[in-house]
Amino acid sequence: MKRKPPHKTPIQILNTVKTQRMIPLLLLLCFLPIVTTMAETYDQDFNGFPNGTTELGDGSVITGQAASIVDGRLQLTQDGEALGFSSFSVPAVPGSSQGFSITFDYELYDGPGSNDPADGFSLNYGNAPMGDPGQAEEGMAGRPGVTQNLSFEVDTWRNGDSEQGVNISGIVNETDIGQLAFENGTILNDGQRIQGSIEMSWDPGTGASFNTTGMNTNANFTGIDTAEFNPNDEHTFIISARVGGANQDLFIDNLIITT
């Protein structure tokens, strides 16, 4: 078999004008940094802690006589015990000023045959200091030094009361801006146990959303205008709860904050 003679003028790929122009570009692309957007997350399932634990070692702060870890969940208020305010504070999560989402599971229980369930709780995002007990179902209203706050609130007192229900509220430049969204109704009845999930989010473009499951009256708010609320990456996240002469159990579990 005859071999084909070699090409008289072999093609010099690397010496073509087009390739010579492409080489610097190819080299540049090889060394360009790969830019990716990574979400920041605080994730706490409260597992692995002995009952009665009040220090989780993750930067959070548990405040109040009623608050501690019980059977792998965070208990913030106790039925039958008038122990006042409790809170769970999470330090600043980078990127929160550009938006965030929060989810957690909850359980509420009110023993039968005593007073109606009370009083309520809220999730707050703002410039309250770590460990601030908050104002429970009233967010951060009146708390010293709190000038910016967005609150997602659940008011369990009193069955049929006109203020009872779920709402979004806040503080802007030291001024209470009142209810931005509100649904009146009973959350749980005397002697009732309810459980479900809560999801809250805020975005500078689309506003605030608040959704719950398992309550007698659930929140179903989407894209709520938050007025002139001024976010900041240094803002904390605080769950605040309280009881008094009327009381209830409140358990929190599987808390996830994502920015």
Side-chain angles (χ1 to χ4, degrees):
M1 180 182 292
K2 291 185 179 181
R3 295 177 180 272
K4 291 183 180 181
H7 199 285
K8 293 182 180 180
T9 55
I11 299 173
Q12 301 296 316
I13 297 178
L14 295 178
N15 287 331
T16 63
V17 173
K18 182 180 291 186
T19 305
Q20 288 175 347
R21 291 176 178 173
M22 290 178 63
I23 288 174
L25 177 59
L26 292 171
L27 290 173
L28 177 62
L29 291 174
C30 289
F31 290 99
L32 280 176
I34 298 175
V35 179
T36 58
T37 302
M38 300 295 290
E40 297 284 348
T41 300
Y42 173 86
D43 189 341
Q44 180 56 263
D45 62 10
F46 305 105
N47 290 330
F49 300 101
N51 285 351
T53 297
T54 57
E55 174 54 62
L56 306 186
D58 62 357
S60 62
V61 175
I62 296 175
T63 302
Q65 288 181 279
S68 69
I69 302 301
V70 177
D71 296 334
R73 298 185 296 175
L74 171 66
Q75 182 167 19
L76 285 177
T77 60
Q78 299 178 24
D79 188 45
E81 298 289 340
L83 297 177
F85 289 88
S86 298
S87 69
F88 180 70
S89 303
V90 176
V93 180
S96 65
S97 65
Q98 300 305 307
F100 59 81
S101 64
I102 305 164
T103 60
F104 59 83
D105 299 323
Y106 77 92
E107 180 179 315
L108 283 167
Y109 171 70
D110 177 65
S114 56
N115 211 338
D116 290 333
D119 279 287
F121 64 97
S122 62
L123 184 289
N124 299 273
Y125 169 69
N127 65 347
M130 294 286 290
D132 194 310
Q135 287 288 85
E137 76 283 0
E138 296 180 4
M140 286 289 171
R143 293 303 302 159
V146 179
T147 60
Q148 296 288 338
N149 187 70
L150 187 63
S151 56
F152 303 84
E153 304 169 358
V154 178
D155 188 337
T156 62
W157 172 266
R158 174 167 198 169
N159 287 11
D161 187 275
S162 61
E163 292 185 0
Q164 186 180 32
V166 287
N167 67 289
I168 301 175
S169 185
I171 298 171
V172 173
N173 299 326
E174 302 183 67
T175 300
D176 188 334
I177 56 177
Q179 295 173 340
L180 302 175
F182 174 62
E183 181 68 29
N184 177 234
T186 301
I187 302 301
L188 77 163
N189 296 313
D190 178 49
Q192 185 180 12
R193 184 186 307 274
I194 62 172
Q195 53 191 343
S197 61
I198 297 180
E199 181 175 354
M200 297 143 288
S201 64
W202 175 82
D203 181 271
T206 58
S209 296
F210 182 21
N211 294 276
T212 66
T213 66
M215 300 179 183
N216 294 346
T217 301
N218 281 299
N220 186 22
F221 308 126
T222 302
I224 302 301
D225 184 4
T226 54
E228 301 300 319
F229 174 67
N230 186 20
N232 191 296
D233 279 355
E234 298 303 313
H235 282 355
T236 59
F237 295 87
I238 299 178
I239 301 175
S240 169
R242 70 168 170 172
V243 293
N247 37 68
Q248 62 197 9
D249 283 333
L250 170 61
F251 293 94
I252 301 295
D253 202 3
N254 302 316
L255 172 64
I256 300 176
I257 303 173
T258 304
T259 62

